[in-house]
Amino acid sequence: MKPKSNIVNLPVYQPGKPIEEVKRELGLDEVIKLASNENPYGCSPHAKEAIIAELSNLSVYPDGSSAELTSELAAHLGVQKEGIIFGCGSDEVIALITRAFLVPGDETVMADQTFSVYKSNADIEGAISIEVPLKDGVHDLDAMLAAVNDKTKIVWICNPNNPTGTFVPQDELVAFLDAVSSDVMVVLDEAYYEFVTDASYPQSISLMDRYHNLVILRTFSKIYGLASLRIGYGIGQPQVITLINQVREPFNTSRSAQAAAKAALKDQAFVQECSRLNAEGVHYLQGEFERLGLNYFPSQGNFVMVDVRTSGKDVFQQLLNQGIIVRPGFARYPNYIRVSVGTPEQNQAFITVLTQVLGEIKSPV
């Protein structure tokens, strides 16, 4: 069978290596995974209780419209329930947006080092991705605006950006939205929204009444700790969300995911505590990188991207050999690794091993 020509050379997404695989391959008993920006504190106890309660309903299809969760999230965010769509992670919402709005020959603008799923889904639809270089690790909105033309359908802004952790502040985002055509959709991916502590970070939902071309993505995978249940969402004008819903598969989120998300949403004390602990972890890691003389991108996410001054893939492998999993392999930043913020004990263990690995590279036997 012959596949579509535009997907023949499409790279397969490479997630962080699973703990079980590393233990098996290297014969290790203890492994610390700091590769996938997961919440090291798990999820709310109330979410666990909700999942257990759903076990008796495994034979029953979920509500395809996620009606109860939609109503509760709409109230929490202060938006219309008709302006929300749920997906199997925000990744699926990205795929649905490209399916609904891109056709072969359309153009879409994004940063040159950002979440890879934007480009891969545009490629699947036969669209052309215009990748604009980051400026000091941050989206260069002026250059992105200059790249917009009559063929541009979507602009993607990952904020905070994955993998650099940098962000576009409110004033710069508003200036961009004022300048870009209202016919161009601007997708603002805020997967790490709840971790942000900088006061200049955009309050994006308040912008939606003014900019009808704005679509916001968020998720329950990160700070809410429900990554394995795969549930994320998009927020936009109801007429836009209706179009995206028209290409959504039925039953795309599970009963367990919906129930856990409802319970997690109500436990904002858990969210706030995880945000506080994460900020402490970011501060610790960045301080240690400074002590080691390593450059890094100041992060507003739950990860930090650091320049190890040698092949990031080599450092990754040496850390892996000692049971620490991080993320290497960034095309524009080959000497960088991205490390997720763990517990204090995990962060300290990572720094100890990193210090040892860099010392061995600097002074080989």
Side-chain angles (χ1 to χ4, degrees), residues 183-194:
D183 293 331
V184 175
M185 178 183 290
V186 177
V187 179
L188 193 61
D189 188 345
E190 297 185 335
Y192 302 95
Y193 167 82
E194 294 87 358

Side-chain angles (χ1 to χ4, degrees), residues 257-272:
Q258 292 177 30
K262 283 189 293 184
L265 190 64
K266 294 174 182 176
D267 193 355
Q268 289 300 308
F270 175 83
V271 172
Q272 292 166 11

Side-chain angles (χ1 to χ4, degrees), residues 239-306:
Q239 61 270 29
V240 174
I241 297 302
T242 295
L243 292 171
I244 301 171
N245 251 318
Q246 288 176 334
V247 298
R248 178 181 61 83
E249 300 294 337
F251 312 125
N252 64 324
T253 61
S254 69
R255 292 183 64 100
S256 296
Q258 292 177 30
K262 283 189 293 184
L265 190 64
K266 294 174 182 176
D267 193 355
Q268 289 300 308
F270 175 83
V271 172
Q272 292 166 11
E273 179 64 3
C274 289
S275 180
R276 183 187 69 82
L277 292 168
N278 180 76
E280 291 180 355
V282 169
H283 178 75
Y284 168 78
L285 289 174
Q286 293 183 165
E288 289 299 297
F289 295 149
E290 290 174 9
R291 179 182 63 82
L292 293 169
L294 303 177
N295 293 324
Y296 61 87
F297 292 116
S299 179
Q300 287 291 313
N302 66 336
F303 54 89
V304 183
M305 190 170 174
V306 58

Side-chain angles (χ1 to χ4, degrees), residues 152-362:
T152 306
K153 289 289 187 69
I154 302 172
V155 175
W156 306 89
I157 302 173
C158 190
N159 206 38
N161 185 44
N162 179 12
T164 59
T166 57
F167 77 101
V168 172
Q170 171 103 1
D171 57 347
E172 293 182 20
L173 177 64
V174 168
F176 177 83
L177 292 170
D178 282 338
V180 75
S181 170
S182 60
D183 293 331
V184 175
M185 178 183 290
V186 177
V187 179
L188 193 61
D189 188 345
E190 297 185 335
Y192 302 95
Y193 167 82
E194 294 87 358
F195 292 109
V196 176
T197 60
D198 194 298
S200 64
Y201 183 78
Q203 296 305 307
S204 55
I205 289 178
S206 67
L207 301 175
M208 295 184 62
D209 288 341
R210 181 176 171 186
Y211 304 103
H212 290 188
N213 56 333
L214 181 62
V215 175
I216 300 166
L217 305 180
R218 293 184 185 172
T219 184
F220 284 92
S221 294
K222 301 306 179 183
I223 206 165
Y224 287 99
L226 301 179
S228 69
L229 294 182
R230 310 306 302 126
I231 186 159
Y233 57 98
I235 316 160
Q237 294 299 316
Q239 61 270 29
V240 174
I241 297 302
T242 295
L243 292 171
I244 301 171
N245 251 318
Q246 288 176 334
V247 298
R248 178 181 61 83
E249 300 294 337
F251 312 125
N252 64 324
T253 61
S254 69
R255 292 183 64 100
S256 296
Q258 292 177 30
K262 283 189 293 184
L265 190 64
K266 294 174 182 176
D267 193 355
Q268 289 300 308
F270 175 83
V271 172
Q272 292 166 11
E273 179 64 3
C274 289
S275 180
R276 183 187 69 82
L277 292 168
N278 180 76
E280 291 180 355
V282 169
H283 178 75
Y284 168 78
L285 289 174
Q286 293 183 165
E288 289 299 297
F289 295 149
E290 290 174 9
R291 179 182 63 82
L292 293 169
L294 303 177
N295 293 324
Y296 61 87
F297 292 116
S299 179
Q300 287 291 313
N302 66 336
F303 54 89
V304 183
M305 190 170 174
V306 58
D307 183 356
V308 292
R309 298 181 303 197
T310 186
S311 166
K313 290 184 177 180
D314 289 349
V315 171
F316 157 78
Q317 187 59 54
Q318 293 189 56
L319 289 169
L320 189 68
N321 292 340
Q322 298 193 51
I324 306 287
I325 313 173
V326 297
R327 195 63 179 266
F330 302 104
R332 309 298 180 186
Y333 301 94
N335 289 351
Y336 281 71
I337 59 172
R338 190 195 68 194
V339 56
S340 304
V341 177
T343 64
E345 295 77 17
Q346 291 172 334
N347 296 335
Q348 291 163 15
F350 160 71
I351 290 297
T352 297
V353 177
L354 177 66
T355 302
Q356 177 186 334
V357 166
L358 295 180
E360 291 173 353
I361 291 173
K362 186 176 181 181

